[in-house]
Amino acid sequence: MLTIERLKEVLDYSPETGHFTWRINKRRARTGDIAGSVVAHGYILIRVDQTRQLAHRLAWFYVHGRWPDKNIDHINGQTADNRIANLRQATCAENLKNIKVSSRSTTGVKGVSRMSGSKKFRATIRFEGKRVCLGLFDTIEEGAAAYMAAAEKHHGEFASHISRKQPR
């Protein structure tokens, strides 16, 4: 198990940039090189003493001196942004509240979909384990506004308005 002493012996962490740099020379890295490589969904993985660690969890450990009790959530939704100000502990349910809009979304706006066979847009949100319809709207923007209001109410600080593209 990686200790805080060992972590600080081999890596430096900048809370302002979220980057880890090596304090030691390694086979493929030199002192001062940025540590880690990007893996699935943009997360950064760092290998320390033959164990692979996610950089956001290492950042929490480095700053707080203890491993996180819960998941670590990237507040701005950017999984490579490991600045400590962008990280917070979250339950699995809280973490799911601010996921990005699906790449399969036809509107590119979270919580808004086009009604098949209609020119209307449906806004929905998930909370308390249920999907709730917020209504039918003439424009994507109206649906997005309804979703944002409901997200603020039901998801609180975990509300996300991240869209793939600007509403049409």
Side-chain angles (χ1 to χ4, degrees):
M1 179 75 147
L2 181 63
T3 64
I4 191 69
E5 294 80 19
R6 179 62 178 155
L7 177 61
K8 290 184 176 186
E9 182 181 319
V10 298
L11 289 168
D12 279 323
Y13 170 70
S14 169
E16 294 80 28
T17 66
H19 296 139
F20 281 92
T21 54
W22 290 108
R23 295 188 69 183
I24 59 172
N25 287 324
K26 297 179 53 102
R27 187 170 56 179
R28 293 187 179 128
R30 299 286 172 239
T31 302
D33 286 354
I34 292 180
S37 57
V38 178
V39 294
H41 305 289
Y43 290 99
I44 296 174
L45 194 68
I46 301 173
R47 183 179 288 266
V48 179
D49 295 340
Q50 307 307 314
T51 62
R52 295 177 295 174
Q53 305 285 343
L54 290 166
H56 58 281
R57 295 185 64 78
L58 281 178
W60 190 271
F61 185 44
Y62 197 98
V63 170
H64 297 287
R66 61 181 166 74
W67 290 103
D69 300 327
K70 302 176 182 177
N71 293 327
I72 296 295
D73 177 49
H74 292 83
I75 296 168
N76 68 4
Q78 302 297 315
T79 55
D81 182 354
N82 293 311
R83 293 174 297 119
I84 199 66
N86 187 46
L87 303 177
R88 62 183 167 195
Q89 289 196 86
T91 64
C92 186
E94 289 168 334
N95 204 9
L96 288 172
K97 290 176 181 179
N98 74 347
I99 59 173
K100 296 177 186 177
V101 66
S102 170
S103 61
R104 297 184 325 225
S105 170
T106 57
T107 64
V109 178
K110 188 172 180 182
V112 180
S113 59
R114 184 180 290 275
M115 291 288 297
S116 59
S118 170
K119 293 184 179 183
K120 299 272 187 184
F121 295 90
R122 176 180 27 211
T124 60
I125 190 168
R126 290 191 75 82
F127 69 95
E128 295 180 358
K130 297 177 184 145
R131 188 170 103 164
V132 176
C133 181
L134 302 172
L136 297 177
F137 303 91
D138 292 326
T139 67
I140 292 175
E141 292 84 2
E142 291 171 331
Y147 175 84
M148 286 189 259
E152 291 290 334
K153 178 180 177 183
H154 297 292
H155 296 170
E157 69 175 296
F158 291 91
S160 171
H161 312 307
I162 300 169
S163 296
R164 221 178 43 241
K165 55 189 173 189
Q166 294 298 320
R168 298 177 242 188

